[in-house]
């Protein structure tokens, strides 16, 4: 029985509106008057079968799109009898990479295992400590920098923290640093008190020393010279005899200024975040390859915008056409410090709200007007724009804005006042919210403030012509993937009509730096996966053949 036969006097849309409403009884009374016996469930099924009247997008309008949020999956296990589960990375060929990162808020060692058979990455173990808990400088040690909250650092204290974190992470995972670890990548976001991008090198040396003291062999921290120099388990999966590593990670050439110096101090963080988001997107239906916009919302802001590459271009690598720098998680941290619930100097939003995303549920609409007013008030102090060429710092991050402009790279920055001068204003706003309203209202304000920051960054990229129809947008970092921020950011991207199917162009990835470290290690060792490529352009083939051609 089709709907076209049943609905003699009612149109399809009128009938369905009655079925889905509280007036369904009136609809069935109408049918009863015509001696038609039909249950509500059967009628709905009949409506779905009626191709003449059914609109394919009718039911989809009641379903809110869910953002693609990638959280670290555990590595698979192999069962050997009852109760005997052995991690797959113990028996099968895995490329195990240690990511050692000291940021302004946290210091992490994350062990990532890449299945060389499938190309998929898994987080084996994670050790996280607060950077503010680093030991204080000892007499005779030279303080060479500090975190954003003012925690002082020396080469010796950083080395010891990295050593202890690396050893603990391997011990907890029951892995041997010398024999089972394949590669280590070090990175840092502590750049606020550095005088220039060049000084970050001193910090990276401290990270390297910590790895060496922990027992990491030097050869596992640099690219191999040839395929023969790689371990026996890697050689069957390596293309090192066919391609040459030219510095491109995830199919992107890093930016280099006309003077040969980096344009922004945390350039490496942006590179790793981009690579990590590309790798994490492999767990979603999104084809997240070039061109792309990748944004890392850690305590400080970093990320990249990559170019499109024509299918017939002899050089298959994309160029870096945009960089992000400045403040990110430091802004919600300032709001939270005003509540008095965390330490005034070192407290973070993590301490109260955590770092996990939340989907579903509704925020009380009663306080929505209040939330909107506070969000607007906060953004009066937040400056998001192309970094002026005369600035050598933006959001306290050392930059070379003049070189960026001369090189044609858009440097998009986020600041609060000038070099975080207005962060105290946000502390005052946080204090006012906590005094007058609930903690849930404060949480909603923070989620909305971070959402507007993310969307304003995208808007600047759009104004610069850097977001194309085939671009993908990815976020990582606690200030973009925690709470309800992914849901709100997706809604904002949909409203901007940048893509035909916005949810197919947007991903949120946790542990972007660690994933990026694993991918950088693969790139340095030429461990590509042509059947599951990360390099190349969206919808295009693997670029391995063109790389081999260039090498010849």
């Amino acid at each position: 029985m089709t709907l076209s036969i049943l609905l003699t006097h009612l149109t399809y849309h009128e009938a369905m509106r009655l079925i889905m409403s509280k007036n369904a009884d009136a609809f069935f009374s109408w049918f009863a008057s015509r001696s038609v016996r039909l249950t509500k469930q059967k009628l709905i099924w009949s409506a779905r079968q009626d191709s003449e009247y059914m609109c394919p997008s009718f039911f989809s309008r009641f379903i809110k799109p869910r953002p693609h949020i990638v959280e670290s999956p555990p590595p698979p296990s192999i069962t050997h009898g009852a109760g005997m589960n052995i991690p797959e990375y113990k028996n099968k060929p895995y490329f195990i990479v240690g990511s050692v990162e000291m940021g302004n808020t946290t210091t992490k060692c994350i062990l990532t295992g890449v299945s060389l058979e499938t190309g998929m990455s898994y987080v084996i173990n994670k050790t996280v400590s607060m950077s503010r808990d680093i030991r204080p400088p000892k007499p005779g040690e030279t303080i060479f920098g500090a975190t954003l909250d003012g925690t002082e650092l020396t080469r010796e204290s950083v080395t010891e923290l990295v050593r202890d974190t690396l050893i603990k992470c391997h011990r907890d995972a029951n892995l041997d640093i010398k024999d089972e670890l394949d590669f280590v990548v070090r990175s840092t976001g502590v750049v606020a008190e550095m005088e220039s991008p060049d000084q970050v090198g001193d910090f990276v040396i401290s990270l390297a020393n910590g790895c060496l003291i922990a027992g990491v062999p030097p050869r596992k921290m640099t690219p191999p010279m040839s395929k023969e120099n790689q371990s026996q388990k890697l050689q069957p999966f390596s293309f090192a005899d066919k391609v040459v590593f030219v510095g491109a990670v995830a199919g992107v050439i890093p930016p280099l200024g006309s003077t040969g110096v980096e344009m922004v101090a945390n350039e490496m963080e942006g590179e790793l975040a981009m690579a990590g988001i590309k790798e994490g997107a492999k767990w979603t239906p999104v084809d997240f390859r070039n061109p792309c916009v990748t944004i890392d919302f850690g305590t400080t802001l970093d990320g990249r915008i990559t170019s499109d590459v024509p299918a017939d271009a002899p050089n298959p690598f994309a160029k870096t056409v945009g960089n992000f720098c400045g403040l990110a998680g430091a802004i919600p941290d300032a709001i939270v410090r005003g509540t008095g619930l965390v330490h005034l100097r070192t407290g973070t939003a993590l301490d109260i709200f955590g770092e996990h995303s939340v989907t579903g549920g509704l925020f009380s609409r009663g306080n929505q007007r209040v939330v909107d007013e506070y969000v607007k008030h906060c953004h009066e102090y937040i400056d998001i724009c192309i970094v002026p060429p005369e600035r050598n710092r933006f959001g306290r991050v050392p930059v070379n804005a003049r070189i960026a402009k001369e090189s044609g790279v858009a440097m998009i920055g986020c600041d609060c006042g000038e070099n975080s001068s207005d962060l105290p204003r946000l502390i005052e706003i946080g204090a006012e919210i906590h005094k007058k309203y609930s903690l849930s209202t404060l949480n909603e304000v923070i989620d909305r403030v971070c959402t507007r920051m993310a969307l304003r960054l995208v808007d600047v990229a759009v104004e610069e012509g850097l977001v194309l129809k085939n671009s993908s947008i990815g976020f990582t970092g606690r200030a973009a993937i925690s709470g309800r921020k992914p849901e709100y950011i997706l809604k904002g991207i949909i409203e901007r009509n940048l893509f035909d199917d916005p949810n197919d162009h947007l991903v949120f990835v946790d542990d972007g730096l660690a994933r990026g470290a694993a991918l950088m290690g693969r790139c340095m060792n030429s461990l590509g996966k042509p059947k599951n490529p990360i390099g190349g352009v969206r919808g295009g083939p693997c670029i391995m053949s063109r790389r081999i051609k260039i090498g010849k």
Side-chain angles (χ1 to χ4, degrees):
M1 184 184 300
T2 65
L3 198 64
S4 53
I5 297 174
L6 288 174
L7 304 183
T8 310
H9 297 94
L10 288 179
T11 68
Y12 165 74
H13 290 292
E14 289 172 333
M16 290 304 294
R17 196 159 48 242
L18 281 170
I19 293 171
M20 298 299 180
S21 71
K22 296 179 181 178
N23 294 323
D25 292 339
F27 180 77
F28 287 103
S29 297
W30 179 84
F31 269 112
S33 66
R34 286 158 177 74
S35 300
V36 178
R37 289 186 178 181
L38 194 66
T39 66
K40 182 178 179 181
Q41 288 76 13
K42 285 183 179 179
L43 182 59
I44 294 174
W45 177 87
S46 176
R48 288 175 177 168
Q49 306 304 312
D50 193 8
S51 59
E52 180 179 356
Y53 291 93
M54 186 61 185
C55 174
S57 62
F58 178 80
F59 288 102
S60 64
R61 74 185 65 177
F62 298 104
I63 303 173
K64 185 185 298 184
R66 296 173 67 88
H68 296 296
I69 304 173
V70 181
E71 295 187 346
S72 304
S77 299
I78 300 174
T79 303
H80 292 277
M84 288 287 291
N85 290 328
I86 306 295
E88 194 177 73
Y89 58 81
K90 288 284 188 179
N91 290 340
K92 291 192 174 184
Y94 266 69
F95 182 59
I96 299 178
V97 179
S99 169
V100 179
E101 183 238 338
M102 183 172 182
N104 286 284
T105 302
T106 58
T107 297
K108 300 179 182 178
C109 177
I110 302 179
L111 292 174
T112 308
V114 182
S115 170
L116 296 174
E117 295 176 347
T118 65
M120 302 305 287
S121 294
Y122 304 88
V123 172
I124 296 174
N125 193 38
K126 181 190 306 185
T127 298
V128 183
S129 60
M130 302 302 288
S131 298
R132 66 194 177 203
D133 295 332
I134 191 171
R135 70 159 177 81
K138 293 180 179 179
E141 294 181 353
T142 302
I143 298 172
F144 70 88
T147 62
L148 272 177
D149 60 28
T151 302
E152 295 178 330
L153 307 172
T154 67
R155 179 174 291 191
E156 293 81 3
S157 63
V158 171
T159 296
E160 291 175 19
L161 179 62
V162 169
R163 177 201 62 194
D164 296 343
T165 306
L166 192 61
I167 291 175
K168 183 179 187 304
C169 190
H170 282 78
R171 184 173 60 242
D172 293 346
N174 194 26
L175 285 174
D176 186 88
I177 292 179
K178 291 184 178 179
D179 297 331
E180 295 179 287
L181 180 66
D182 294 303
F183 206 76
V184 174
V185 177
R186 298 93 58 206
S187 63
T188 179
V190 183
V191 294
E193 298 302 320
M194 309 279 178
E195 292 301 323
S196 70
D198 304 337
Q199 292 185 357
V200 179
D202 293 334
F203 198 104
V204 175
I205 291 173
S206 300
L207 298 178
N209 288 338
C211 296
L212 292 171
I213 295 174
V216 179
R219 60 183 174 82
K220 294 186 177 182
M221 300 166 67
T222 56
M225 298 300 293
S226 65
K227 187 173 181 176
E228 289 71 25
N229 291 335
Q230 295 176 319
S231 64
Q232 289 297 320
K233 75 170 183 178
L234 299 182
Q235 289 186 20
F237 303 93
S238 174
F239 291 85
D241 57 336
K242 297 180 180 179
V243 297
V244 179
F245 178 65
V246 295
V249 176
V252 182
I253 295 290
L256 193 65
S258 57
T259 61
V261 301
E262 291 180 331
M263 301 174 191
V264 61
N266 54 355
E267 173 62 46
M268 185 177 181
E269 264 202 314
E271 182 174 45
L272 292 179
M274 174 206 66
I277 292 172
K278 284 191 171 191
E279 189 283 323
K282 286 297 179 182
W283 294 96
T284 74
V286 179
D287 184 356
F288 200 98
R289 293 186 286 167
N290 300 317
C292 61
V293 179
T294 54
I295 305 176
D296 179 9
F297 261 59
T299 304
T300 53
L301 174 69
D302 59 78
R304 279 184 176 177
I305 304 175
T306 68
S307 67
D308 198 0
V309 183
D312 57 349
N315 185 345
F317 298 121
K319 295 180 180 179
T320 300
V321 295
N323 261 331
F324 294 96
C325 65
L327 303 177
I331 288 176
D333 289 348
I335 297 174
V336 163
R337 286 171 189 166
T339 64
L341 300 175
V342 298
H343 192 280
L344 183 59
R345 182 174 64 85
T346 61
T348 70
L350 277 176
D351 297 329
I352 299 179
F353 302 117
E355 58 182 343
H356 294 290
S357 60
V358 177
T359 56
L362 293 173
F363 173 72
S364 172
R365 302 295 296 180
N367 276 352
Q368 193 61 56
R369 183 181 59 81
V370 171
V371 169
D372 291 343
E373 289 177 356
Y374 277 118
V375 171
K376 182 180 178 181
H377 190 25
C378 288
H379 272 267
E380 292 174 358
Y381 303 107
I382 299 174
D383 182 20
I384 295 177
C385 63
I386 295 292
V387 179
E390 66 273 11
R391 295 282 293 271
N392 56 12
R393 280 179 181 270
F394 203 85
R396 296 175 64 180
V397 176
V399 296
N400 226 319
R402 180 181 58 81
I403 296 299
K405 184 176 182 180
E406 292 174 358
S407 303
V409 176
M411 185 175 289
I412 303 174
C414 177
D415 204 345
C416 186
E418 183 170 339
N419 287 319
S420 71
S421 61
D422 282 340
L423 282 181
R425 301 285 189 181
L426 300 186
I427 294 176
E428 294 172 2
I429 294 174
E432 182 179 325
I433 297 172
H434 182 61
K435 182 179 179 181
K436 295 182 177 180
Y437 302 98
S438 65
L439 207 57
S440 63
T441 300
L442 177 67
N443 193 11
E444 183 73 5
V445 169
I446 287 176
D447 282 352
R448 296 288 186 178
V449 166
C450 292
T451 297
R452 186 173 293 187
M453 287 167 58
L455 294 174
R456 286 179 64 185
L457 289 168
V458 172
D459 289 341
V460 174
V462 171
E463 291 170 6
E464 294 296 312
L466 302 177
V467 181
L468 311 176
K469 272 294 182 181
N470 61 331
S471 291
S472 299
I473 302 175
F475 291 91
T476 188
R478 61 187 176 92
I481 68 172
S482 62
R484 301 188 66 178
K485 302 174 188 72
E487 174 188 335
Y488 296 156
I489 292 173
L490 173 59
K491 180 181 178 182
I493 295 296
I494 292 173
E495 291 171 349
R496 280 156 174 76
N497 294 318
L498 300 175
F499 314 107
D500 295 334
D501 183 3
N503 207 20
D504 190 43
H505 292 257
L506 184 65
V507 296
F508 299 85
V509 178
D510 73 340
D511 295 329
L513 285 178
R515 295 174 184 274
L519 188 55
M520 175 176 276
R522 287 175 59 191
C523 291
M524 288 182 173
N525 285 269
S526 301
L527 298 171
K529 202 70 184 171
K531 293 184 179 179
N532 191 20
I534 287 180
V537 296
R538 180 183 172 96
C542 177
I543 62 175
M544 182 68 74
S545 59
R546 279 191 281 174
R547 289 188 61 190
I548 294 174
K549 186 177 180 180
I550 290 175
K552 292 180 179 179

